[in-house]
Amino acid sequence: REVRTSDGRWFVLRTAPSCGTDGKVSGVVLTVTNVTAFRASVEQAIYEREYTKAILNTVIDPLVVLDGDLRVQTANKAFHSLFQFSRDEVQGTVLRDLGRGEWDIPDLLARLKGAFAAESNEMEPLEVDMLVPTVGHRTMIFSARKLLGAGRRTELILLTAEDITDRRRAERTIRERTAQFEILLNEAPLGVYLVDDQFRVRAVNPTALPAFGNIPDLVGR
């Protein structure tokens, strides 16, 4: 049993029968082990674990912590929610074996392996198109960083997944509209001049240029 003394120390008491040469119980052996330092280290580890977990769960982007074999050590709520994994499905599973193969991404796995061997603490971000069970095909940017701690025997990596699907879709829309505008501008039969609120020329189509004698630096005037 564990007991605590008035000065705050903790001891484990153990009792066992003491037998004589004839095999009969002749008394009791009492052992007392001071476990104060051990309890303090355990309590500190629990505190650090819960503190770290609380921080991870407040981050809106999916996060997962991997060991050197790329096995999942822990993941935050956003990861479980987006990818629809239970804690039992994730804990201790190799990253590439998660789900139905959507995490078997050779470039990502290679970069993560390389990150453990590299001197740098961060992995160069990687953009990946992948299938997310809850929302279908998404564009994700994966970033990773080594977790370094005093006394840690093995290194860990924190892998983050940022969903940039909407951003890429917006960029693609802008590019398409810009291309359409340039086609309309360049093929218009009339001279077209784009002028800003400072009356500076921002764009001129080919039809308009002859009116100014093909001045090459018309834009910006």
Side-chain angles (χ1 to χ4, degrees), residues 136-208:
H137 288 278
R138 307 295 286 180
T139 301
M140 314 293 293
I141 284 188
F142 290 101
S143 302
R145 183 178 182 86
K146 287 182 184 177
L147 297 178
L148 304 176
R152 183 175 288 134
R153 294 182 180 178
T154 58
E155 287 184 335
L156 300 175
I157 276 189
L158 176 65
L159 176 65
T160 64
E162 180 186 2
D163 187 350
I164 61 166
T165 308
D166 293 338
R167 186 199 311 172
R168 288 291 183 260
R169 185 179 294 123
E171 293 172 351
R172 186 165 55 250
T173 299
I174 292 174
R175 286 196 300 269
E176 291 173 352
R177 289 180 178 177
T178 300
Q180 292 173 354
F181 171 78
E182 290 178 349
I183 292 174
L184 291 174
L185 181 67
N186 293 327
E187 295 185 358
L190 300 176
V192 179
Y193 308 87
L194 294 183
V195 183
D196 63 19
D197 58 354
Q198 300 299 314
F199 302 107
R200 290 187 180 276
V201 179
R202 293 303 181 187
V204 180
N205 72 342
T207 308

Side-chain angles (χ1 to χ4, degrees), residues 40-148:
S41 65
V42 170
E43 290 173 357
Q44 180 65 22
I46 293 174
Y47 169 79
E48 291 179 354
R49 183 189 65 191
E50 296 302 319
Y51 181 74
T52 302
K53 187 185 298 183
I55 292 177
L56 293 180
N57 286 331
T58 60
V59 179
I60 61 174
D61 288 330
L63 303 175
V64 62
V65 177
L66 307 169
D67 64 12
D69 295 324
L70 302 187
R71 291 185 181 277
V72 178
Q73 300 302 300
T74 187
N76 68 346
K77 289 181 179 179
F79 184 89
H80 289 289
S81 176
L82 178 62
F83 298 107
Q84 290 295 289
F85 292 135
S86 68
R87 192 169 301 277
D88 290 339
E89 289 176 311
V90 170
Q91 195 74 24
T93 303
V94 177
L95 186 66
R96 68 171 179 272
D97 294 335
L98 289 177
R100 298 181 178 179
E102 62 266 24
W103 284 92
D104 190 5
I105 307 170
D107 287 346
L108 176 62
L109 300 176
R111 288 200 185 188
L112 289 171
K113 282 291 187 181
F116 277 104
E119 295 183 359
S120 174
N121 291 334
E122 295 186 2
M123 180 192 83
E124 182 180 351
L126 176 66
E127 183 173 323
V128 174
D129 291 323
M130 68 180 299
L131 177 64
V132 179
T134 52
V135 290
H137 288 278
R138 307 295 286 180
T139 301
M140 314 293 293
I141 284 188
F142 290 101
S143 302
R145 183 178 182 86
K146 287 182 184 177
L147 297 178
L148 304 176

